[in-house]
Amino acid sequence: MHKNIVVAVDGPAGSGKSSVSKEVAKRAGLQYIDSGALYRAITLYVLKHCGEQFTRDDVCRLLGDIQLKQVFNNDGSCTTYCNGLDVSETIRNETVATHIGKISDIVAVREYVNMLMRMWAKDHAIIVDGRDIGTVVFPDADIKIYLDATVEERALRRAREYAQKGKNIDVNELKMHIARRDQQDMNRPYGALKKAHDAVYIDTSAMTQQEVIDYIYSLVRNVMI
Ligand code: DC
């Protein structure tokens, strides 16, 4: 038996954090935690109860009513429950994306989400992805990874995902959107995207997803032995 290790995976949007983390989790027998999904679920709950004109006080008041749970399934998918309801799909909608910044900037919300993840980490070996996992949430994580890729490469990956769904999206527009999101993620007062000083930096721009998975898995195995 190995101890309850923590693997922290941070990086910008579109760097492949969640796909890679889920695969590593499956292979290494870890639980996967999607921290972004927790912020999304809180956002969805606030929107449902207060509409789009919510205030900071509304959010703090509602936090006490929210019960979040995440289950990492055998097929490698992750289900997020909010007060018993599976919200894994709905949290990906546009309205949530529009308002999540305002919610995830609130310190009380961040403390709540961080507390939950630290509690889950007590009972399980976990791999968690997000923006501030290695810097704020688990500064003593056994392994810290910072996944990166150029804006161009991330835009191309997104465009390919859209194309697979039959949608044609302008790559330049995607590039602009991704660059703007990076700026927002890196320049926030709390929970900013930052590489921890002791994180392994992986530029995935010229790597296949399998190469990234194999590399992280080899790091995890070394710690588990
Ligand atoms: O990883 P994602 O795209 O699902 O994250 C959704 C949003 O949540 C994103 O705008 C940044 C925020 N987030 C955060 O503030 N801290 C985290 N640890 C993870 C996500």
Side-chain angles (χ1 to χ4, degrees):
M1 278 300 278
H2 53 83
K3 70 181 180 92
N4 286 340
I5 67 163
V6 174
V7 183
V9 182
D10 292 305
S15 56
K17 298 184 297 289
S18 68
S19 322
V20 163
S21 300
K22 282 184 215 163
E23 284 303 316
V24 173
K26 260 204 300 188
R27 215 156 130 185
L30 308 174
Q31 293 294 313
Y32 164 69
I33 298 175
D34 178 348
S35 65
L38 301 175
Y39 289 105
R40 287 173 183 272
I42 294 172
T43 307
L44 183 71
Y45 190 87
V46 170
L47 289 169
K48 194 167 150 194
H49 287 81
C50 298
E52 297 187 39
Q53 304 302 321
F54 60 85
T55 64
R56 192 185 162 287
D57 284 348
D58 291 330
V59 179
C60 293
R61 181 174 40 82
L62 286 176
L63 263 187
D65 304 336
I66 300 178
Q67 280 192 2
L68 297 176
K69 191 174 145 196
Q70 255 180 8
V71 177
F72 185 54
N73 306 299
N74 288 335
D75 65 358
S77 61
C78 175
T79 310
T80 302
Y81 295 93
C82 182
N83 293 9
L85 201 73
D86 178 355
V87 293
S88 317
E89 293 297 324
T90 15
I91 55 175
R92 308 276 157 200
N93 75 34
E94 275 307 310
T95 325
V96 169
T98 306
H99 294 281
I100 194 165
K102 268 186 286 172
I103 303 241
S104 58
D105 270 349
I106 299 173
V107 176
V109 171
R110 303 205 70 83
E111 283 173 349
Y112 174 72
V113 169
N114 295 348
M115 178 272 295
L116 268 186
M117 292 194 286
R118 289 176 187 136
M119 207 170 69
W120 293 340
K122 283 186 187 158
D123 299 327
H124 302 281
I126 56 168
I127 182 165
V128 194
D129 80 26
R131 308 289 193 284
D132 60 343
I133 308 300
T135 49
V136 176
V137 189
F138 294 109
D140 298 323
D142 300 82
I143 300 173
K144 296 181 188 178
I145 309 284
Y146 188 92
L147 270 198
D148 208 354
T150 60
V151 172
E152 288 72 18
E153 179 57 28
R154 285 183 281 145
L156 284 171
R157 289 177 191 171
R158 273 280 139 83
R160 269 183 236 124
E161 279 169 20
Y162 280 119
Q164 275 171 2
K165 292 177 190 161
K167 288 185 196 165
N168 248 335
I169 307 280
D170 179 40
V171 179
N172 282 326
E173 212 172 286
L174 283 174
K175 263 201 254 181
M176 264 163 33
H177 181 77
I178 289 173
R180 205 177 318 128
R181 182 115 186 247
D182 285 354
Q183 283 309 309
Q184 284 165 0
D185 277 353
M186 287 172 180
N187 297 299
R188 312 167 59 186
Y190 306 104
L193 169 65
K194 204 158 76 185
K195 178 190 162 301
H197 70 91
D198 49 353
V200 178
Y201 179 85
I202 308 176
D203 182 347
T204 69
S205 307
M207 293 172 80
T208 64
Q209 194 180 69
Q210 196 54 50
E211 285 170 337
V212 182
I213 294 165
D214 290 345
Y215 180 42
I216 299 178
Y217 178 68
S218 70
L219 299 176
V220 174
R221 252 182 60 108
N222 275 343
V223 172
M224 285 167 84
I225 288 169

